[in-house]
Amino acid sequence: MQNRLPTLTDTKPDSLILEIADFDVNVLTGIYSEETKLPQPLRFTIQAEMLAEDHYGPDTPLAASKNYMDLKHAASTALPQGVHFTLIEAVADHVIETLFLQDPRIRRLTIKIIKLAIAEQGESIGITLTRTRR
């Protein structure tokens, strides 16, 4: 079998990944919230993959990208108050659905959620959910 070099048609389009990392939010979720009736602290990292513009120059308008605060909003104030999410996977899905609805330019989202209340020695316990726009 002969190795072949990739051609231009083999390459994927350029992408831009916007990220917010280590953002803490209290959410009603899991057994902790079920037993205590209190929200538990979750640590979010969100990566939103978008198609990149051909070039970003000094005068590229803000509309050529996405507002980072939209990522923060989706994982905080966009979460419904008083709703208990049995699984943190459901929290991640809600964030993903919110961001996909907000901006059709987002192609793929990865949400990492760490459950801070159950860590015993500083370890990170949680999930990472990735969804690609269909």
Side-chain angles (χ1 to χ4, degrees):
M1 179 184 242
Q2 184 179 20
N3 289 339
R4 70 179 184 88
L5 295 174
T7 66
L8 287 178
T9 58
D10 292 336
T11 61
K12 294 181 181 180
D14 294 338
S15 67
L16 170 69
I17 298 176
L18 303 180
E19 180 174 346
I20 182 170
D22 303 326
F23 174 60
D24 296 351
V25 180
N26 291 321
V27 180
L28 286 168
T29 185
I31 295 170
Y32 177 91
S33 292
E34 190 174 301
E35 291 175 352
T36 65
K37 308 297 183 226
L38 298 171
Q40 72 168 293
L42 302 178
R43 177 163 293 150
F44 287 82
T45 296
I46 302 171
Q47 293 181 332
E49 180 182 340
M50 303 172 63
L51 285 173
E53 297 289 325
D54 291 336
H55 176 74
Y56 295 98
D59 59 346
T60 302
L62 290 173
S65 189
K66 178 156 188 59
N67 186 331
Y68 298 99
M69 297 307 287
D70 291 340
L71 304 180
K72 187 174 179 180
H73 165 73
S76 57
T77 54
L79 292 172
Q81 294 294 312
V83 173
H84 179 262
F85 292 88
T86 304
L87 297 172
I88 60 172
E89 289 88 335
V91 176
D93 251 341
H94 188 279
V95 172
I96 288 169
E97 290 169 4
T98 299
L99 289 167
F100 275 158
L101 285 172
Q102 276 182 359
D103 198 324
R105 299 173 299 170
I106 296 175
R107 298 187 330 192
R108 183 179 179 96
L109 285 157
T110 299
I111 313 295
K112 179 178 180 178
I113 302 175
I114 302 299
K115 296 178 102 176
L116 299 173
I118 62 174
E120 295 175 346
Q121 297 177 359
E123 70 274 19
S124 295
I125 300 170
I127 60 113
T128 301
L129 179 62
T130 299
R131 297 256 191 238
T132 302
R133 186 181 293 277
R134 295 181 184 143

